[in-house]
Amino acid sequence: MSRLIVISNRVSAPKAQSAAGAQGGLSVALSAALKEYRGIWFGWSGEKTEEFTGHMDLHREGGVTTATIDLEEQDIDEYYNGYANRTLWPLFHYRIDLAEYDRSFGSGYERVNERFAETVAPLIEPDDLVWVHDYHLIPLGQQLRDRGLKNRIGFFLHIPWPPSRLLVSLPYHERLVRTLLAYDVIGFQTEEWLESFCHYVERELGGRVDKDGMIHVGDRSVYAAAYPIGVDYKEFGEAVESATAREAFERLRKSAAGRRTIIGVDRLDYSKGLEERFLGYRRFLEKHGESRDHLFLLQIAPPSRGEVATYEVIREHLDELSGRINGEFASVDWVPIRYVNQSYGRAELAGFYRAAEIALITPLRDGMNLVAKEYVAAQDPDDPGVLILSRFAGAALQLKDALLVNPYSKDEISDAIMKAIRMPKAERIRRWTSMIESVRTEDVVAWRHAFVSALENARPPVRSEPEHA
Ligand code: ADQ
């Protein structure tokens, strides 16, 4: 069996976790995917160094070997806080109003991709499969090819791919997208993002897209397809059954004192639609005075990317908005929003999900959204809760039996909350039964198998040295 070399911006190594704060969906999913593989996970440690040396910290834990590097302050500013999180993240989430273009970001991004390639290339053996992750590392495949690597290399994008008409607002967009042609397989979360990519290839690169997923541009051919990521169903099931989850369940149910809990769990990010969610919930409080204090919203939102100014602004807005709504509606023994800026362990989170009768997950745009799937996975089959989900999350294409809402519409959010409260048990069970089927079968293991087999089958391995010279 070939080894698997996974490369992503952050690595879920002990050192990286402490520096990273809230653990994002990518690292949760990859820890699960790597458990069974012989291979290496390479990326940034999350730490700063005076001068980049290419020194790698190697760790072996739970069957996974990680190799991490530290980056210089300028690298972090230009590549991570700059091009990745101030240029590509907003643009790929359809927020060209927030996207910043600075030439130094672009050069920092290329420099760090070169540094990644330079450092990881010597670790890669001829038969290895290489799997590169996410928008931080789009040009890495090309950088590895430039260093003579003939391995099968795949790329998976965890976030949306924007419509061509938005993408062309990025200076040098064509140069960036062309580097993707160095891969053998390109994976997207959903058919929708894949379609946008194919549209760009045909329109801007003059390429051809075949029905079987092969994309041809000049003399390059690449396979592109949708591979929706899922949760680790088995691991999450164990977490739900754990003593920690039960304690968390009891704690939340006790403190709810007979009131229903609406839960939201998100990294504090403008793409998650938290402001719009609070406003939709406020509309519910205004419209339904009679049922108002029979429930409350528990919003868990650990801060992320604190060094990017837009994130400070959204944090301030949310502090103010939750305070205002609480001031306006609270009574001596009830507050409408419990707003918590903290991270929780998986088992604790599983207990909270199970204790919450309703989940309100309303991103304005999301590649997939694992929280929605985790909520479904955590429910009691005999008395499941109701999932209210944004139609603009990738997960909505699979979780069709959620109450799908337009996250920009306060009225739709308010009406969905009312519908969830009134939903008869039989309907809750019917909807949940259909959703859990997708969460169970299309989980992270299925995702990894589908992607890795596509990469294995992309073409026969090319050996750098002929066996019989
Ligand atoms: P994220 O934008 O980070 O991921 P998401 O898919 O919802 O979004 O994953 C978040 C993960 O972090 C979940 O596993 C969740 O449990 C965990 N998490 C969130 N808040 C937490 C808290 N307070 N305490 C503990 N854990 C918390 C990106 C893309 C998504 C895509 C994933 C995976 O933006 O669209 O689904 O990658 O591909």
Side-chain angles (χ1 to χ4, degrees), residues 22-26 28-29 89 93 134 156 158-159 189 229 265-267 272 300-302 342-346 349 353 366-371 374:
Q23 206 187 9
L26 170 59
V28 171
W89 177 272
H93 286 86
D134 233 2
F156 185 80
H158 289 257
I159 64 174
Q189 299 271 25
I229 201 167
V265 176
D266 310 77
R267 274 186 310 100
K272 303 292 181 185
I300 301 178
Q342 196 182 313
S343 248
Y344 290 95
R346 318 257 331 126
L349 215 48
Y353 288 139
D366 214 332
M368 177 52 62
N369 194 294
L370 289 175
V371 170
E374 289 166 3

Side-chain angles (χ1 to χ4, degrees), residues 124-129 150-152 461-465:
I124 301 174
E125 293 168 10
D127 272 350
D128 290 346
L129 296 168
K150 298 193 170 58
N151 299 57
R152 286 161 296 178
V462 180
R463 302 191 188 263
S464 356
E465 309 222 329

Side-chain angles (χ1 to χ4, degrees), residues 22-93:
Q23 206 187 9
L26 170 59
S27 66
V28 171
L30 284 183
S31 316
L34 262 163
K35 257 183 228 160
E36 292 168 40
Y37 261 87
R38 202 169 62 85
I40 299 172
W41 187 358
F42 174 84
W44 174 35
S45 61
E47 305 271 328
K48 208 186 313 182
T49 178
E50 278 294 307
E51 197 184 341
F52 179 77
T53 58
H55 167 79
M56 276 183 280
D57 268 325
L58 289 165
H59 286 276
R60 197 169 161 75
E61 209 175 279
V64 178
T65 302
T66 57
T68 54
I69 49 170
D70 300 344
L71 291 176
E72 285 172 23
E73 186 161 7
Q74 193 183 351
D75 289 343
I76 301 170
D77 283 348
E78 296 174 353
Y79 148 82
Y80 181 66
N81 292 322
Y83 201 74
N85 287 334
R86 285 161 73 177
T87 306
L88 294 183
W89 177 272
L91 173 65
F92 279 45
H93 286 86

Side-chain angles (χ1 to χ4, degrees), residues 309-375:
T310 342
Y311 287 76
E312 268 175 49
V313 173
I314 166 96
R315 194 170 175 189
E316 278 165 21
H317 280 177
L318 290 169
D319 285 349
E320 195 199 309
L321 189 56
S322 58
R324 194 146 31 95
I325 295 173
N326 279 342
E328 205 176 334
F329 295 97
S331 59
V332 286
D333 58 355
W334 170 73
V335 283
I337 304 181
R338 296 186 191 178
Y339 179 45
V340 185
N341 292 135
Q342 196 182 313
S343 248
Y344 290 95
R346 318 257 331 126
E348 235 174 336
L349 215 48
F352 295 151
Y353 288 139
R354 195 169 176 115
E357 287 83 353
I358 300 168
L360 189 54
I361 301 168
T362 53
L364 303 179
R365 204 62 65 170
D366 214 332
M368 177 52 62
N369 194 294
L370 289 175
V371 170
K373 295 185 172 184
E374 289 166 3
Y375 178 75

